[in-house]
Amino acid sequence: MLIRYGYEMTFGCAAPTPMVCQLDVHPSCSPAIRAETPFASNPRVESWLYSDVFGNRCRRFLAPPGDLTISNYGVVEVSDRPDPVVPDAAEIPVADLPDETLLYLVGSRYVETDKLSQLAWDHFGHTASGWPRVQAICDFVNAHITFGYENARSTRTAYEAYVERTGVCRDFAHLALAFCRCMNIPARYANGYLGDIGVPPDPAPMDFNAWFEVFLGGKWYTFDARHNMPRIGRILIARGRDAADIPLVNSFGPHVLKTFSVVTEETDSVASPPLAGVPSRSAA
């Protein structure tokens, strides 16, 4: 299956402002890219890529005073099958976990395992271990939180999402992966593109999505507490402990995100035209 993906964003800055954006697709997707335009900006700025400690691509540039529009788009080939479901994938005892997974068992900026540990055991201590337990967590979070863009808040933590019972996809992911960590299941945050493929189209303008991954049976598996069903066509951008590790845009000075457009859709051609006609979302 071929999927056309891309974004266009416009920032306003009062002064030269260093920025780091995590908008390039993850290196693991590179072999599947069939066409891609270079990063573009108006006015033109010099940019370069480096890898962060999690292996994600980070693009660095200096935004000039005034408006700056950046964009990138391409076509990637992905499986036409939904996210794998492996009901017998088992939990691994902490003592036997690989060293590199232990980072995803502890608290982080948006994931207060100390506040949520007892709640997690109260809710899920009785559930069957492994895949069924993670699915029970997704079922709970999906029913517990009401989704709404009007309820977005960049500072909301997993515990606050539990108490407030509202949020956007990142809040669903934070709370679910927090519960997993509390139950001694390594879990990490992920974001990227996810189009309306194989599901009824969402009338809202397209946006980036957040989900999470858990380590079961010696492998990382994708879970999505917001949609709570296997989906087709995920394109990974970045992974980290939580959203603080992989912000789409990180500026070292004030800026205003004026508009942005995102596209993720099935296509039958490797041609990747610009985002003309894609609805823009006002950041205001």
Side-chain angles (χ1 to χ4, degrees):
M1 171 184 291
L2 296 176
I3 297 179
R4 185 170 72 101
Y5 66 87
Y7 68 86
E8 182 176 287
M9 298 184 179
T10 299
F11 307 101
C13 301
T17 304
M19 287 190 173
V20 176
C21 293
Q22 290 184 313
L23 296 166
D24 290 77
V25 298
H26 194 266
S28 62
C29 298
S30 293
I33 294 175
R34 300 294 172 256
E36 188 174 37
T37 63
F39 171 83
S41 64
N42 184 23
R44 185 182 179 280
V45 296
E46 180 185 4
S47 75
W48 60 97
L49 289 171
Y50 69 90
S51 294
D52 67 9
V53 296
F54 300 99
N56 304 308
R57 287 177 172 150
C58 304
R59 184 172 295 276
R60 185 175 176 182
F61 56 87
L62 181 67
D67 288 352
L68 172 68
T69 298
I70 63 173
S71 62
N72 175 244
Y73 40 91
V75 175
V76 65
E77 185 173 359
V78 301
S79 171
D80 60 358
R81 300 186 64 83
D83 303 321
V85 176
V86 186
D88 60 351
E91 294 178 27
I92 297 176
V94 173
D96 298 328
L97 284 169
D99 295 343
E100 62 271 16
T101 66
L102 299 182
L103 176 67
Y104 302 106
L105 283 179
V106 298
S108 52
R109 166 66 179 87
Y110 292 107
V111 181
E112 312 101 317
T113 50
D114 54 343
K115 292 184 178 180
L116 289 164
S117 180
Q118 189 59 55
L119 289 167
W121 283 96
D122 290 346
H123 284 302
F124 311 110
H126 65 283
T127 59
S129 65
W131 192 282
R133 176 167 286 160
V134 179
Q135 186 57 58
I137 289 171
C138 288
D139 293 343
F140 174 87
V141 173
N142 180 267
H144 188 77
I145 296 179
T146 298
F147 180 88
Y149 285 113
E150 70 278 6
N151 301 320
R153 189 175 77 243
S154 63
T155 59
R156 183 181 288 116
T157 66
Y159 180 75
E160 290 170 342
Y162 176 82
V163 172
E164 297 172 17
R165 304 189 64 166
T166 187
V168 291
C169 56
R170 61 178 267 161
D171 302 303
F172 285 76
H174 281 151
L175 181 56
L177 70 84
F179 280 145
C180 288
R181 291 182 192 175
C182 291
M183 302 302 296
N184 297 326
I185 304 172
R188 63 191 184 188
Y189 182 89
N191 65 22
Y193 295 94
L194 179 61
D196 300 327
I197 299 172
V199 297
D202 187 336
M206 186 64 67
D207 200 350
F208 292 106
N209 269 260
W211 56 88
F212 71 108
E213 300 172 347
V214 299
F215 193 77
L216 295 171
K219 293 179 62 177
W220 288 100
Y221 291 99
T222 295
F223 285 85
D224 188 334
R226 181 206 163 182
H227 297 106
N228 202 25
M229 62 180 294
R231 292 289 296 269
I232 300 170
R234 295 184 197 273
I235 305 173
L236 179 68
I237 290 178
R239 300 185 180 105
R241 291 170 299 179
D242 59 30
D245 286 334
I246 52 173
L248 294 172
V249 178
N250 193 3
S251 71
F252 299 87
H255 79 274
V256 176
L257 177 59
K258 294 190 170 181
T259 63
F260 69 93
S261 300
V262 177
V263 63
T264 316
E265 60 188 13
E266 189 175 0
T267 181
D268 58 3
S269 170
V270 296
S272 55
L275 304 183
V278 176
S280 297
R281 187 193 306 279
S282 171

